[in-house]
Amino acid sequence: MSAPKYKRIEQALVARIAAGEFAPGDPIPHEAQLAEAYGVTRPTIGRALSALVAQGLIERRRRAGSRVALRARVAARLSIPLAREEIEAGGAAYGYRLLGAARRAAPADVAALFGLAAGAEALETDALHLADGAAWQRERRWINLAVVPAAADAPFETVSPNEWLVRHAPYTRIAHRVWADAATPDDAPLGAAPGDPLLCVERRTWLGARAVTLVRMLHRGPGYKLTFDDDA
């Protein structure tokens, strides 16, 4: 069964906000314009916009119309550090290597987080951040292409998903999880032998009610300092 019309329009507007078509602070077209563009009634548009207001994505003011909320821009600047800046702040030369990027059927836990149907695709990336040529962080990530379709064509060969998403994918909520784990043979790109201790940091972000990305960042050895500055 397909989603109700207002829900499909809500999702379309979320995707347009995520793609930067409507930046934080930008006005949203009037209900009449949206109704004509999507071929629906104004009450249907009103319901979709009300859902975006409830999610904190837009602000509606009487007679002034609707605007994209500024909060997403503030969150992106304050809460998610760039690996490059962290490495350079420590006095080391930054390096980056893309280990892989491909559209794949999302595993069950990722599909559930992203609200995808079974078998639907998401973008999986695997990258290594280097400090003075040595592995500093492995970034293993899933990106919800239903929310950030532009990520499918992003130049991840030269720009890390971390940096690209901070600059191009606004969000309104963030959650972290941290734990210690033992390295497996799959962690060889970090220079870790099986059994070596690893610090694992998981970050999830949402744009309104829809998850944008799930990333697991792996660090080996002492010296990494983790600071949270979540605003949600």
Side-chain angles (χ1 to χ4, degrees), residues 8 13 34 37 61 63 66-67 87 95 97 135-136 143 161 165 191 193 201 211 223 231:
R8 296 200 300 270
L13 291 173
L34 290 172
R61 296 182 181 177
R63 296 183 180 178
S66 302
R67 292 183 178 274
I87 290 170
R97 186 186 311 154
W136 182 82
I143 300 172
L165 285 163
V201 182
D231 67 340

Side-chain angles (χ1 to χ4, degrees), residues 4-7 9 40-50:
K5 288 182 179 179
Y6 88 90
K7 179 60 69 173
I9 293 167
V40 298
T41 64
R42 288 187 64 175
T44 298
I45 294 296
R47 191 173 180 187
L49 294 178
S50 293

Side-chain angles (χ1 to χ4, degrees), residues 46-78:
R47 191 173 180 187
L49 294 178
S50 293
L52 296 182
V53 170
Q55 295 171 36
L57 284 180
I58 67 172
E59 300 168 346
R60 300 180 81 181
R61 296 182 181 177
R62 195 171 184 180
R63 296 183 180 178
S66 302
R67 292 183 178 274
V68 179
L70 293 173
R71 185 173 178 229
R73 178 171 58 194
V74 173
R77 290 181 176 175
L78 295 183

Side-chain angles (χ1 to χ4, degrees), residues 158-175:
T158 56
V159 179
S160 74
N162 164 236
E163 189 152 350
W164 188 91
L165 285 163
V166 164
R167 303 200 184 284
H168 294 92
Y171 69 91
T172 54
R173 184 161 63 94
I174 184 171

